[in-house]
Structure formats: structure tokens, C-alpha cells
Amino acid sequence: MKKVFFLLLLSTLLISACTEETTIRNDKQNQIVSEASKEAGPKHNVKSFEEFPLEGVIDGDTIKIEYNGSTEKVRLLLVDTPETNHPSLGEQPFGQDAKEFTKQLLKDKKTVYLEFDVSYRDKYKRLLAYVYTDEGINIQEELLKNGLARVAYIYEPNTKHVDWFETVQRTAQQQAIGIWSVENYVTDRGFRKEVFNSNGENNNKSQCNIKGNINAKGAKIYHLPGQQNYEDVKAEELFCSVVEAENAGFKAAER
């Protein structure tokens, strides 16, 4: 009887420890996403756009609104984020990051502002729009800026902001952040999950270029390509994404 009780107690402790570890990891991810969303900008004038009640976030590039009395899906124009629950593709790396990022940007928002292009719907009958918060933050711009989306699905006549978005994307590519931190992950046709191993880690680890360094005071700092003195930094550990670096306890270099 004592043996059975001991085994039950041990199982309970193990489950509790695993749950706590998962909670800490998820909280850390949400904190990273939240901090990134606080730096959103610049702000845009939304006075000429249409305002609609927000009902929820489906994934990084799709939300739900109330439109003419019904619930409608809105697909963010000209961007594509990794999948979170695709029927054939499943969940792709950075998909949950993109979804959480969009949720943070729209957290506590009752409405969103939609800027429509020429065509209002896609072949799946979803609304197509550029999405803004009431403060004038453009969701597409922020996803691209933080390396959580690629410019995609460029179909005439809905090409109003292609040049703007491609400029933002180039900066994220140069910084090698998010989806751009893993070589060959992003393609013209989507995302290649196979460049990651079964544990979700990058198979091309040698190509990761976010440098993790521990200074003389024991502080863990990561440095992005293009930052001051990046070339002179001794890489004691390499990371493929900001999320990976911060989950390992490293903080961003100030410059």
C-alpha cells in the first residue's frame, strides 16, 4: 500500500513539474511577443477606413469580425504566416509565434479598422483587407517587421501596399529574425518544415547567425547581424531566432 502511495505521489510531482515548466515556457514566449508588440509603429491615420467589431484571431494572418450582422473571416492582404493547424501541413515553425503576436497586437481591442483594396474577397469567400488597430498600427507591417510573415499572394488588382511591405520585409531579412533566421525555411511557395528536425530544431544549426555572448559580469546578451560591433562579438552560442535566444536566457544587445 505504501509503495502504491509513493508511486502515485511521484507521478503527481512529475506531472506538476512538467506543467510548471510548460507554463513558464509559454509565459516566456508570450512575454517576448508582448514586448515586441509594444514597439509597434509608425502609426497610420485610420479615419478614412471602415471600423468593424472584432470577434477573434484565427491565426497570424486571419481574424474574425462582425460584418453586416454576420461573423466573417478576414484574410490579411499580401502576407502569409506559417500555419498553426492546417489539414495537410499541420503546424509549422513560427506559426504559433505569429498567432500570439497578432493576438497581442489586438488584445483588449473591441474593433479593428479595415482598409480594402480593389477586390473585397478571395476564392474562399473571405474578406481581404489591410488591418489596423484604433491607434493606427498596421498588423501586416508589424508581422513583417518582426520576421513572422512573408510578402505573398500578390494578385492584381490588390497590390496597393506591395512596395511598402517588401521594404519592411527586406529589413527583417537583413536582420535574419524570425522566419528569416533559418536558411531555406521560407520559399516562394510557403514554408519548408522539413528543414527542422523532429524536435522542432533547425537542422542547419551552423547557419544560425544570432550570436549569444556572456560578458564579464555574467550577463547573457544576444547580438543580431547588422548591430554595432556584431563582427567582433565572440559567439559562445548561436541561435536561429530571437525566441530561441530569449528562451535560453539571453537578452538583446542595446545597440
Side-chain angles (χ1 to χ4, degrees):
M1 187 67 181
K2 289 183 178 179
K3 184 177 180 179
V4 172
F5 175 78
F6 175 76
L7 290 174
L8 287 172
L9 178 62
L10 180 60
S11 298
T12 301
L13 290 173
L14 287 172
I15 293 172
S16 177
C18 291
T19 302
E20 182 177 357
E21 180 182 353
T22 302
T23 300
I24 292 172
R25 184 167 60 249
N26 291 338
D27 287 346
K28 179 65 175 176
Q29 181 189 53
N30 290 338
Q31 179 184 354
I32 294 167
V33 170
S34 179
E35 289 175 354
S37 64
K38 287 177 183 177
E39 300 175 0
K43 308 301 187 293
H44 304 276
N45 189 344
V46 298
K47 290 183 179 179
S48 62
F49 304 149
E50 297 184 56
E51 185 179 11
F52 297 94
L54 174 66
E55 293 196 351
V57 173
I58 296 175
D59 57 23
D61 56 28
T62 311
I63 64 172
K64 291 189 298 183
I65 66 166
E66 181 184 322
Y67 183 82
N68 292 337
S70 300
T71 297
E72 293 259 14
K73 292 181 180 179
V74 180
R75 181 66 168 74
L76 276 61
L77 269 171
L78 300 181
V79 299
D80 179 36
T81 62
E83 300 290 347
T84 56
N85 188 29
H86 193 275
S88 59
L89 299 174
E91 181 179 327
Q92 297 174 319
F94 296 100
Q96 289 296 337
D97 295 282
K99 180 178 180 178
E100 288 302 319
F101 187 81
T102 298
K103 286 175 68 175
Q104 285 293 332
L105 288 176
L106 297 175
K107 185 177 181 181
D108 299 325
K109 302 297 181 185
K110 302 298 183 183
T111 63
V112 289
Y113 287 80
L114 302 187
E115 177 189 9
F116 293 104
D117 213 319
V118 178
S119 176
Y120 273 49
R121 294 185 183 273
D122 63 10
K123 63 182 180 181
Y124 303 108
K125 308 301 181 184
R126 297 175 300 187
L127 289 166
L128 300 171
Y130 308 104
V131 181
Y132 299 79
T133 67
D134 53 355
E135 299 98 343
I137 295 170
N138 177 262
I139 306 302
Q140 282 102 319
E141 179 182 22
E142 297 307 315
L143 285 165
L144 291 167
K145 185 175 76 174
N146 288 277
L148 294 172
R150 68 186 183 102
V151 177
Y153 305 118
I154 305 172
Y155 301 128
E156 294 287 354
N158 292 338
T159 58
K160 181 177 181 179
H161 292 316
V162 170
D163 292 342
W164 168 26
F165 289 170
E166 287 185 338
T167 298
V168 177
Q169 176 175 273
R170 278 195 294 273
T171 300
Q173 287 176 296
Q174 291 167 359
Q175 294 175 340
I177 58 176
I179 60 176
W180 307 108
S181 65
V182 181
E183 187 179 31
N184 299 322
Y185 179 49
V186 185
T187 74
D188 291 339
R189 303 186 64 180
F191 305 94
R192 297 179 64 241
K193 188 176 181 179
E194 58 268 27
V195 301
F196 292 80
N197 62 29
S198 59
N199 294 320
E201 298 173 344
N202 179 19
N203 287 327
N204 299 317
K205 191 73 175 180
S206 61
Q207 302 297 326
C208 298
N209 56 4
I210 297 178
K211 294 182 178 181
N213 176 268
I214 303 176
N215 65 22
K217 296 181 180 180
K220 295 182 175 181
I221 308 295
Y222 67 81
H223 303 259
L224 298 171
Q227 287 186 313
Q228 184 176 341
N229 301 322
Y230 172 83
E231 298 299 330
D232 299 325
V233 173
K234 176 186 176 183
E236 294 168 290
E237 192 167 353
L238 288 171
F239 300 102
C240 301
S241 70
V242 169
V243 171
E244 182 183 355
E246 298 198 1
N247 281 343
F250 287 74
K251 294 184 177 180
E254 294 182 358
R255 56 182 180 176

